[in-house]
Amino acid sequence: MSEAAIAERMDAILTAHQGLEGPLLPILHAVQAEFGLIPAAAVAPIAKALALTGAEVEGVISFYHDFRRTPAGRHTIKLCRAEACQAMGGDQALARIEAALGLKLGESRADVTLEAVYCLGLCACGPAAQVDGQPIGRLDAAKVAAIAAEVLS
Amino acid sequence: MKIYVPADAAARALGADAVAAAIAKEAAQRGIDVQIIRNGSRGMIWLEPLVELETAAGRIAFGPFDAADAAALFDAPETHPRALGLTDEIPYFKRQTRLTFARVGLIDPTSLADYEAHGGLAGLRRALALGPQAVLDEVAASGLRGRGGAGFPTGIKWQTVAAAPADRKYIVCNADEGDSGTFADRMLIEGDPFCLIEGMAIAGLACGATKGFVYLRSEYPDAIAVLGRALGLARQAGILGDAVLGSGPAFEIELRVGAGAYVCGEETSLLNSLEGQRGVVRAKPPLPALEGFMGRPTVVNNVLSLAAVPWILTEGAAAYKAIGINRSRGTIPLQIAGNVRYGGLFETGFGVTLGEIVNDIGGGTASGRPVKAVQVGGPLGAYHPQADFDLPFCYEEFAGQGGLVGHAGLVVHDDSADMLALARFAMAFCAIESCGKCTPCRIGAVRGAETIDRIAAGDAAAVPLLKDLCQTMKLGSLCALGGFTPYPVLSALTHFPDDFACHKEAAE
Ligand SMILES: Cc1cc2nc3c(=O)[nH]c(=O)nc-3n(C[C@H](O)[C@H](O)[C@H](O)COP(=O)(O)O)c2cc1C
Ligand code: FES
């Protein structure tokens, strides 16, 4: 996307968030929803609108795990790595997913991104995952195969 | 014909959407007029998707329900292979004292009419009639303590904010729920969002705050959607706005979404995040109650603390205080998770023992193997061996055993658990999530994981080093992330020394 196109959409996002108290996180979420990541060209307009330095905005972006600077795959799989899921065979679920996708945790390809997440609130039906925002519990071999078939198709 | 199919994220994770679709299709084919209500979860996760059919005798439950079970629901519900009888009579459900969760799973979460028909708004109406000081007194007298982790008396926090002079005050609901093994905030928001809204409106009225925020974690997209809808409906109905319920003071609530940082559940880090900064922890004092959001007096309360308040106002402080033991009053929504047979949410009075929770209520492990350890209170809570099973679930009693009630999550591990690996995970998690402000947490957690690796490699001299490091983290960290990570580590080391020793022998 051209810088001019980004600038135009940034204007709309910044206008929509005028008047909020502490608007930076809502703005960054909106930017990521719009572009799929936080483009470098988005930083300066945000900084200007909020009377911050570019470095301050970069500092906030880099603090939070959610904000991406590189594009994610077409599908995103978030696999819970926290204790309750570990207790239910989370390591095995991870090994199965990695094998089925041919992708390691934390890696990304054009078709799919595989991320660690620490608890999805599905701790009584682990191992748990979220595939493109959809919750999945009791991640066994069959469910892993179904997920892989869907995202790789 | 009324059929309930939960839209709770855990029910959906187990196939509830496909079940709802199958039931709708089956009904359409038979020309039967059904109303499918997507309710919250009754909390019995091992029975999800738990479908309920409304009958003259009450709601009858079926579960765990599969899409293929839909036809039989219309043929002969009584003899359905998944039939569980009346929901209210299921022992796991019947044994509970459901005050905060009374409506969760019972009502249509975003129907205000349903909410009011089941006692909703009665607390707020009484609060408006009583006036601020009487509400503060009522909350204090109930003995309610913060359910987010620290167990601080809610009444004292509110009184502090109410008494602080300022042009603006805020009510911030902490819905960051990052602890592994916890999901009560999520279930309440997905199943009864108006209850939280009502609790926050009461807090606003009592403390003289006109603005509230809910800081809800991004890992909960379903809860975000439900609360967003509920807030819109509450505004339309005049529960929120320039005059609460038409006659009260102004109160507005804004929903804010977190960005995947565990430490942002810590209240000062949360406030920085809300302000649009890096989520680093602030030194206390000043307390958020005096200088919180934008430097103004701010109540920061967990979802469950706020959601307990409408019941307290409706039924009275004495009724709440009558439940529980010692200094732990009222009910606690236990979240029973991990390797456990009957996992789910179980609301009960304080005082039930750890062993009752794990064995009696939870039914032991899901794998059928012996229980090895139970981590209570999230990633910063201790690992308890079976020897602790007579411990009553209460703040002081757990603290006395080097433990933590925290947000009341319990994660059960069977005898295949590797306690050294879990101790290492605690350090590694702290290293990933540290906000970086204080050295004991930022550096200590990294060194802690390395030191545990040395123990695993057979270096016995690393054990005293690990203990020493834990002591430094406990005493020197700015917040409980670094300060409490030693608890799971040291409890694993103390109670399960073999898991740390056998690695050594194997290496020798
Ligand atoms: C690392 C860390 C994470 C925390 N996460 C949460 C959380 O997710 N939700 C919560 O309510 N409290 C959390 N707390 C506790 C809060 O700092 C604070 O005590 C609480 O929100 C106060 O509300 P309460 O009095 O109603 O419990 C956390 C504390 C620490 C140190
Ligand atoms: S620990 Fe995996 S969902 Fe909570």
Side-chain angles (χ1 to χ4, degrees):
Chain A
M1 191 175 298
S2 74
E3 298 233 342
I6 290 177
E8 190 180 312
R9 295 194 197 183
M10 284 306 301
D11 267 351
I13 289 171
L14 291 168
T15 308
H17 288 83
Q18 263 169 13
L20 287 192
E21 297 174 281
L24 186 48
L25 255 67
I27 288 173
L28 292 173
H29 276 303
V31 170
Q32 182 146 307
E34 176 77 31
F35 303 108
L37 51 76
I38 313 286
V43 173
I46 295 174
K48 183 156 174 271
L50 304 186
L52 297 170
T53 65
E56 283 171 316
V57 176
E58 292 283 1
V60 172
I61 296 169
S62 68
F63 184 86
Y64 296 96
H65 300 302
D66 280 3
F67 298 129
R68 311 187 55 91
R69 306 311 296 276
T70 52
R74 277 191 300 283
H75 299 282
T76 299
I77 302 176
K78 296 185 179 184
L79 182 72
C80 177
R81 298 294 296 136
E83 291 91 335
C85 288
Q86 289 181 31
M88 286 302 282
D91 286 347
Q92 193 184 19
L94 171 64
R96 280 185 178 137
I97 289 203
E98 287 184 335
L101 299 177
L103 201 65
K104 291 278 176 212
L105 192 67
E107 290 180 352
S108 189
R109 244 182 1 226
D111 54 348
V112 55
T113 298
L114 181 60
E115 286 177 354
V117 62
Y118 297 94
C119 194
L120 294 163
L122 305 172
C123 334
C125 57
Q130 227 176 49
V131 179
D132 298 330
Q134 296 304 311
I136 297 178
R138 294 198 201 114
L139 202 57
D140 55 15
K143 287 190 186 173
V144 168
I147 293 168
E150 193 185 316
V151 303
L152 299 179
S153 66
Chain B
M1 196 174 181
K2 243 186 197 175
I3 298 176
Y4 293 81
V5 184
D8 177 275
R12 294 187 59 228
L14 298 173
D17 290 349
V19 166
I23 291 173
K25 185 169 166 220
E26 189 67 33
Q29 273 169 6
R30 293 170 185 242
I32 298 172
D33 188 22
V34 294
Q35 187 190 356
I36 297 176
I37 294 163
R38 301 302 304 268
N39 55 338
S41 168
R42 298 279 196 154
M44 296 170 281
I45 304 298
W46 83 97
L47 292 177
E48 293 289 358
L50 181 97
V51 169
E52 289 176 275
L53 184 65
E54 195 166 84
T55 73
R59 274 155 68 166
I60 48 178
F62 305 84
F65 207 92
D66 191 83
D69 298 325
L73 190 62
F74 295 95
D75 290 336
E78 309 76 31
T79 57
H80 193 285
R82 308 282 182 199
L84 300 162
L86 290 169
T87 311
D88 288 338
E89 296 297 324
I90 298 175
Y92 190 96
F93 195 75
K94 198 177 182 180
R95 284 174 71 184
Q96 299 185 44
T97 307
R98 284 173 80 94
L99 312 185
T100 303
F101 280 78
R103 278 179 299 260
V104 174
L106 185 64
I107 63 167
D108 178 348
T110 50
S111 160
L112 258 175
D114 231 4
Y115 182 66
E116 280 202 72
H118 290 89
L121 296 181
L124 180 55
R125 292 209 170 91
R126 174 142 184 270
L128 284 166
L130 284 174
Q133 189 55 51
V135 174
L136 294 169
D137 294 343
E138 193 83 17
V139 172
S142 74
L144 176 66
R145 295 168 67 176
R147 303 290 187 238
F152 188 81
T154 306
I156 296 178
K157 188 180 282 187
W158 288 19
Q159 186 72 56
T160 308
V161 171
D167 58 340
R168 283 177 77 81
K169 299 177 188 179
Y170 297 92
I171 308 296
V172 172
C173 169
N174 188 342
D176 202 46
E177 194 163 68
D179 290 358
S180 166
T182 66
F183 41 82
D185 297 349
R186 178 185 69 65
M187 289 184 67
L188 185 105
I189 291 173
E190 289 177 5
D192 191 14
F194 294 122
C195 180
L196 173 61
I197 294 170
E198 182 178 349
M200 289 181 73
I202 295 171
L205 165 93
C207 301
T210 51
K211 177 75 186 274
F213 289 98
V214 179
Y215 188 91
L216 182 46
R217 64 200 300 255
S218 62
E219 291 86 347
Y220 286 178
D222 293 21
I224 292 166
V226 174
L227 187 59
R229 265 205 310 282
L231 285 170
L233 292 167
R235 276 178 211 121
Q236 265 174 32
I239 297 166
L240 298 173
D242 293 339
V244 165
L245 285 178
S247 64
F251 193 68
E252 181 48 68
I253 298 175
E254 196 179 319
L255 172 57
R256 288 285 174 92
V257 176
Y262 175 72
V263 74
C264 286
E266 195 282 332
E267 57 186 2
T268 61
S269 159
L270 186 154
L271 292 169
N272 277 337
S273 182
L274 267 184
E275 289 180 5
Q277 304 180 43
R278 290 165 68 88
V280 290
V281 171
R282 299 177 183 172
K284 286 191 272 193
L287 291 174
L290 298 173
E291 291 179 40
F293 183 67
M294 302 291 178
R296 303 300 202 289
T298 303
V299 168
V300 182
N301 266 148
N302 176 250
V303 173
L304 301 182
S305 316
L306 291 160
V309 169
W311 193 94
I312 291 168
L313 266 293
T314 306
E315 306 294 333
Y320 195 76
K321 195 169 186 179
I323 303 164
I325 64 167
N326 302 337
R327 290 182 53 210
S328 304
R329 313 307 309 188
T331 61
I332 181 80
L334 301 168
Q335 297 130 82
I336 309 172
N339 194 333
V340 66
R341 193 153 166 217
Y342 303 130
L345 184 133
F346 190 98
E347 184 175 353
T348 187
F350 280 100
V352 50
T353 68
L354 182 56
E356 282 174 87
I357 298 169
V358 173
N359 289 327
D360 243 25
I361 300 167
T365 63
S367 61
R369 302 171 66 106
V371 173
K372 182 167 186 175
V374 185
Q375 188 177 29
V376 182
L380 308 177
Y383 283 102
H384 296 271
Q386 290 206 25
D388 283 352
F389 273 18
D390 56 354
L391 210 56
F393 204 84
C394 294
Y395 294 105
E396 277 69 29
E397 288 71 3
F398 261 71
Q401 266 320 86
L404 182 71
V405 161
H407 188 48
L410 299 103
V411 175
V412 180
H413 292 266
D414 74 8
D415 63 351
S416 68
D418 175 352
M419 301 310 294
L420 180 137
L422 288 167
R424 189 191 190 284
F425 177 81
M427 283 291 189
F429 180 73
C430 179
I432 294 170
E433 299 297 337
S434 175
C435 80
K437 181 149 173 171
C438 73
T439 315
C441 173
R442 184 185 66 240
I443 308 285
V446 177
R447 295 288 173 262
E450 291 168 1
T451 309
I452 294 173
D453 286 342
R454 279 173 55 186
I455 297 173
D459 180 357
V463 172
L465 204 61
L466 179 64
K467 289 184 181 165
D468 195 47
L469 177 68
C470 283
Q471 198 61 12
T472 304
M473 289 176 72
K474 267 191 194 176
L475 298 177
S477 298
L478 200 53
C479 85
L481 180 50
F484 278 65
T485 293
Y487 285 85
V489 175
L490 291 177
S491 57
L493 186 61
T494 306
H495 298 304
F496 307 97
D498 290 356
D499 286 24
F500 292 78
C502 65
H503 290 78
K504 180 180 160 234
E505 281 150 20
E508 273 168 1

